[in-house]
Amino acid sequence: MRMYDVILKKRNGGTLTDEEIREAVQGYTRGEIPDYQMSALLMAVYFQGMTDHETAVLTDAMAHSGDMMDLSEIPGIKVDKHSTGGVGDKTTLIVGPIAAACGCHVAKMSGRGLGHTGGTVDKMESIPGMRTELTREEFIRTAKEAGITVTGQSGNLTPADKKLYALRDVTATVESIPLIASSIMSKKLAAGSDCILLDVKTGSGAFMKTVEDSVCLAQKMVAIGMHNGRKTAALITNMDIPLGNQIGNALEVEEAVRVLRGEGPADLTGVCLALASEMLYLAGKGSREECRRLAQEAVDSGAALQRLAAMVRCQGGDEECIFHPEKLGRAPLEAEVKAPADGSISKMDTEGIGLAAMMLGAGRETKESRLDYLAGIILKKKTGDAVRAGEVIAELRASEESRFAGAGARFLEALTLSDEKPDPEQLVYARVTEEGVEYLEKG
Ligand code: URA
């Protein structure tokens, strides 16, 4: 196989053979195919797309480029959950413990944040002592003992995705449905769970800006999962507005705890209960109604909060921070963002708000940036709320005064005020399963 011919074929809209795809992935992972040729192939895929069969073969080749996790030592059904990324998305820290409290095992690998999106591993590391790099034995032991473990991705899982994702990031080829589907699903297949729930975010803070595109991505991922013998489903959820009221690592852990105490904001609680119920449904815990009731009971009884604390303890963290989240600490400096005029918030550019949080120190501009775990934003008003000129819309937290001016301006730029009050936001748009797409009612 000549890489030149593979690039040419895809550039001209052809369909690659299984062998061509596998050799390209293997050759690139081994360092035999240079970045410039793989970049050209990625750009050709970006413009020409891939058939479902090509996408499935690419996913399989990427999944098998490194170790495949064997979770058979953990008893019962193993359920994984993946979010395509957003702002204020702390759902893993809520739905994982709920699923664990209902008898599932969650043995999950998560990512770090980059740019405007946050990552679960960073949020967890804001808990003093918390380790997110575990040996295989520690990973299995924590999953058995706490029912849930969340770590960073191990060194030799899907090395092809690591290299390809880094290349896509710098060659403007991230936003391609077959490339996103294969990237996410290769990691999910290699991570070894029996059931996979995908949370596909839609809107201004997400990769996918429209429900249509999100449904298309979800259908491809569900098909790949089911084809590989994993029970897979997806919910399409709203990322046109930050999830919950707190953005920033320790701030998000605190808000996750609040949801698990039954005191969380309605949007975050609603999305988490929908996700948790769907995970339980995939794991065969009953009808959708029963699963919803089980998820609610796990919160009401405090069992889910206990699971989160158990995971933190098993991974070396200070579990007192879960029972008393004020122990996570507070950034030394605060500033308020005030409404420039009277009106209603009709739109929040969620990506802009994520960037404002990053500018405060809560996120990474480059992979090497250092995080300030206590930095972030507390939203006092969100889309649909009426404001008076001078009223506080948000509180910013940082450790250096110099961070406030730029972040405050970026935050204000992300808001649209208008005279008319917008319709309430829909939280979950659709459910995608092997049976098809079900568009859901508002509420
Ligand atoms: N998340 C991933 O893991 N891969 C992508 O391509 C996009 C989002």
Side-chain angles (χ1 to χ4, degrees), residues 6-48:
V6 175
I7 297 167
L8 184 68
K9 189 176 187 185
K10 187 42 84 183
R11 190 199 73 183
N12 292 342
T15 301
L16 304 181
T17 63
D18 295 9
E19 195 193 4
E20 285 166 338
I21 295 172
R22 288 188 194 286
E23 283 192 24
V25 171
Q26 285 161 8
Y28 183 62
T29 311
R30 286 196 296 257
E32 293 157 12
I33 292 171
D35 280 353
Y36 56 82
Q37 283 193 311
M38 187 48 89
S39 306
L41 181 60
L42 291 172
M43 192 57 87
V45 169
Y46 179 91
F47 282 113
Q48 298 292 356

Side-chain angles (χ1 to χ4, degrees), residues 335-336 414:
E336 291 175 336

